[in-house]
Amino acid sequence: MSVRATAAVTPATGAAFALTEVTVVDPRPDEIVVRIVASGICHTDILARDGIRPPRPPAVFGHEGAGIVEEVGRSVGGLVPGDRLVPGDRVVLSFASCGQCSACAAGNPAHCPAFPEHNYAGARPDGTPTLRTREGEVLAGSFFGQSSFATHALVRARQAVRVPEDSDLGLLCPLGCAVQTGVGTVLNTLRPAPAEPVVVIGAGAVGLSAVMGTIIAGCRPIVVDVVPARLRLAAQLGAEQVIDGGHGSISDQITAAVGSGAKSIVDTTGDARVLPDAVRALAVGGSYAVVGAVAAGTTVPVDLQHLGRGRRLLGVVEGDSNPAEFIPRLVDFWRSGRLPLDRIVREYPMAEIDRAVSDMLAGDVVKPVIRFGPS
């Protein structure tokens, strides 16, 4: 039967969250209902709240959910063949994909051609809603296939990755997006050589995750940001050098730090003003990974001579990861102390979700996490 949930609803574009009772529709055979324990807040949630990215409010956003499986559809199996999800399993939720295209079949669901329909449509890909108000009005849901700013979420089983029973879901929920994006861009996409410098521009949750990934790869992170506290945290996490991007040319400062140019640059800012300057610091044969979410129609002027001689400009989504395989690796990194998520996460109760967003936008917290209930 349908599940009653409390959700942080965005009632109108740019509006404050309203804690509202909603109805989560019954799961289909390949879907599960998850009691959300915690959900990270990401800048993409705010872009959607403000009408810059779809779907439009009234809606329930949230896409870094983690929780406990409560109900499973009759055909539900895990992402790993033969590894079935059952009620009581602790899971981290990630983005949605079709599971049928050539990209999904090849283990690269981040490149699924149907990614927009599964993640931004506000409903299932066939248009059927997943969330309604108590009065029966349709809410935009299925944000990244989950809409995890609620006590319960309906998701496809292929989005849920089982984690160990003793896992701290408040720390692990950002693995579903920000952390896998940052770490994955380094380990899956750029794959720098050991001891190579990797430049990370932007020291938010994705950028600092990229710093952690660079250290895991045995490389040397160099971090650019304009917030002194973020630069200090990057240094504490192991950045070899930090650069204040608010003073002078970023490309000149990067070149001075690495010598002949950077082989790997990760731009997590989502700021169109950064790339035209920073790309000039790219070394011959180097790669510039663009990770930050931006509004549709955003363009940048690029001098093409800075992309010659084997230089590559790459668009990266979700760290080019396969969550079924990559999230367990991230959990192992966390359990071994190589992914110190506690340094970037701060928890807030559900009633303080607006304060959490304000703290994030002010730069006072890197990754706010909303705690919806006991684990």
Side-chain angles (χ1 to χ4, degrees):
M1 69 188 297
S2 299
V3 173
R4 293 280 183 171
T6 300
V9 176
T10 299
T13 299
F17 294 101
L19 300 188
T20 306
E21 186 175 284
V22 301
T23 299
V24 180
V25 305
D26 295 334
R28 290 178 173 174
D30 64 342
E31 295 174 335
I32 63 176
V33 176
V34 177
R35 177 173 66 81
I36 300 297
V37 170
S39 181
I41 299 175
C42 177
H43 278 90
T44 305
D45 297 311
I46 309 309
L47 292 175
R49 180 201 67 177
D50 294 342
I52 298 170
R53 297 286 294 269
R56 293 299 179 101
V60 178
F61 299 117
H63 63 284
E64 291 182 338
I68 299 172
V69 177
E70 284 201 346
E71 188 176 351
V72 299
R74 63 178 180 271
S75 66
V76 165
L79 286 168
V80 179
D83 186 12
R84 294 185 61 84
L85 292 169
V86 298
D89 281 342
R90 299 166 76 83
V91 292
V92 168
L93 307 180
S94 193
F95 62 90
S97 56
C98 76
Q100 300 173 337
C101 66
S102 59
C104 288
N108 194 7
H111 290 186
C112 175
F115 194 97
E117 299 95 309
H118 283 270
N119 293 279
Y120 308 132
R124 294 182 176 111
D126 65 4
T128 56
T130 58
L131 290 173
R132 295 182 183 272
T133 66
R134 185 170 53 183
E135 295 74 27
E137 298 176 359
V138 172
L139 292 168
S142 290
F143 190 56
F144 280 74
Q146 52 184 281
S147 289
S148 58
F149 286 168
T151 56
H152 291 78
L154 179 76
V155 302
R156 292 185 67 191
R158 63 179 280 105
Q159 294 176 245
V161 181
R162 185 189 290 116
V163 295
E165 286 293 318
D166 61 349
S167 297
D168 184 336
L169 297 179
L171 287 179
L172 296 191
C173 60
L175 299 186
C177 184
V179 176
Q180 81 170 346
T181 297
V183 178
T185 298
V186 176
L187 299 187
N188 300 332
T189 307
L190 295 176
R191 301 185 181 186
E196 179 180 301
V198 176
V199 176
V200 178
I201 308 176
V206 175
L208 292 175
S209 296
V211 170
M212 298 180 204
T214 300
I215 294 170
I216 289 170
C219 297
R220 300 153 44 211
I222 296 169
V223 179
V224 183
D225 202 278
V226 296
V227 180
R230 296 285 178 88
L231 292 174
R232 288 193 295 271
L233 180 53
Q236 292 165 10
L237 289 172
E240 180 180 82
Q241 185 171 343
V242 297
I243 296 171
D244 185 342
H247 297 284
S249 165
I250 292 176
S251 62
D252 289 346
Q253 294 184 80
I254 292 173
T255 302
V258 299
S260 61
K263 282 285 188 180
S264 298
I265 299 177
V266 184
D267 183 348
T268 71
T269 65
D271 187 337
R273 297 168 297 178
V274 171
L275 190 151
D277 176 23
V279 75
R280 295 191 300 114
L282 197 59
V284 171
S287 297
Y288 190 111
V290 180
V291 181
V294 297
T298 301
T299 61
V300 293
V302 177
D303 186 335
L304 293 181
Q305 73 171 345
H306 300 305
L307 291 178
R309 301 177 66 194
R311 298 176 178 90
R312 299 184 301 162
L313 186 61
L314 305 172
V316 183
V317 175
E318 299 289 349
D320 289 336
S321 73
N322 179 353
E325 298 176 356
F326 197 56
I327 287 178
R329 287 182 64 194
L330 294 173
V331 172
D332 287 344
F333 291 144
W334 167 68
R335 291 170 71 90
S336 67
R338 303 175 71 190
L339 198 63
L341 300 174
D342 59 295
R343 301 300 305 277
I344 64 172
V345 166
R346 182 190 300 171
E347 289 193 5
Y348 296 77
M350 185 179 187
E352 296 183 12
I353 185 170
D354 282 304
R355 181 169 72 88
V357 171
S358 295
D359 288 351
M360 178 181 72
L361 296 178
D364 295 333
V365 61
V366 176
K367 174 55 64 176
V369 166
I370 302 304
R371 173 71 68 163
F372 289 92
S375 57

